């Protein structure tokens, strides 16, 4: 954390360079949720977001558009599919926990 309280984060999960973010926004999805259409999907089942990525539903596309706009404004914003991915992204954003011995 810098002198202004902003978090310095290196994300390997979403391939972002080291930078300071304004905040964290995650769109949680259940384990094994398919965000993108399969190779056999019909063209009517493909929805392209503002960053050019295809999504399986209009709802996912709209969520992706919001996440992209947040990234453009300096936020760490991404889909987190499943528990492990969510924990990885949160840990990446906040940094590894520091173990400290606490006396009571």
């Amino acid at each position: 954390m810098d002198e202004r309280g902003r978090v310095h984060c290196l994300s390997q999960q979403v391939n972002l360079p080291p930078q300071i973010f304004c905040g964290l926004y995650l769109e949680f999805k259940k384990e094994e949720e398919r965000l993108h259409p399969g190779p056999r999907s019909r063209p009517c089942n493909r929805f392209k977001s503002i960053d050019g990525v295809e999504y399986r539903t209009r709802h996912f596309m709209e969520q992706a558009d919001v996440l992209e706009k947040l990234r453009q404004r300096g936020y760490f914003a991404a889909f987190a599919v499943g528990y492990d991915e969510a924990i990885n992204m949160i840990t990446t954003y906040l940094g590894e926990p520091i173990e400290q011995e606490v006396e009571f």
Side-chain angles (χ1 to χ4, degrees):
M1 200 174 293
D2 71 5
E3 67 280 350
R4 293 184 183 170
R6 295 179 294 187
V7 176
H8 180 75
C9 175
L10 171 62
S11 171
Q12 298 171 350
Q13 186 72 26
V14 291
N15 298 320
L16 292 172
Q19 63 186 27
I20 295 173
F21 295 98
C22 297
L24 171 68
Y25 282 87
L26 293 179
E27 182 61 48
F28 294 97
K29 298 296 175 197
K30 65 183 177 182
E31 197 73 44
E32 300 178 19
E33 179 77 67
R34 283 187 26 247
L35 298 175
H36 308 286
R40 295 186 197 175
S41 325
R42 296 183 223 176
C44 63
N45 293 341
R46 295 172 182 260
F47 301 92
K48 196 170 279 195
S49 65
I50 56 176
D51 62 352
V53 177
E54 287 186 343
Y55 288 90
R56 192 168 58 86
T57 67
R58 180 178 304 280
H59 181 69
F60 291 162
M61 178 206 67
E62 290 168 351
Q63 289 176 327
D65 289 346
V66 169
L67 293 173
E68 177 60 24
K69 289 175 183 174
L70 287 166
R71 283 191 292 272
Q72 290 172 2
R73 298 188 92 174
Y75 289 88
F76 183 109
F79 285 106
V81 181
Y83 174 82
D84 291 333
E85 190 170 298
I87 293 300
N88 283 340
M89 288 185 177
I90 293 167
T91 302
T92 298
Y93 179 78
L94 294 176
E96 290 293 326
I98 299 170
E99 291 190 32
Q100 297 179 341
E101 193 170 310
V102 178
E103 293 183 32
F104 294 97

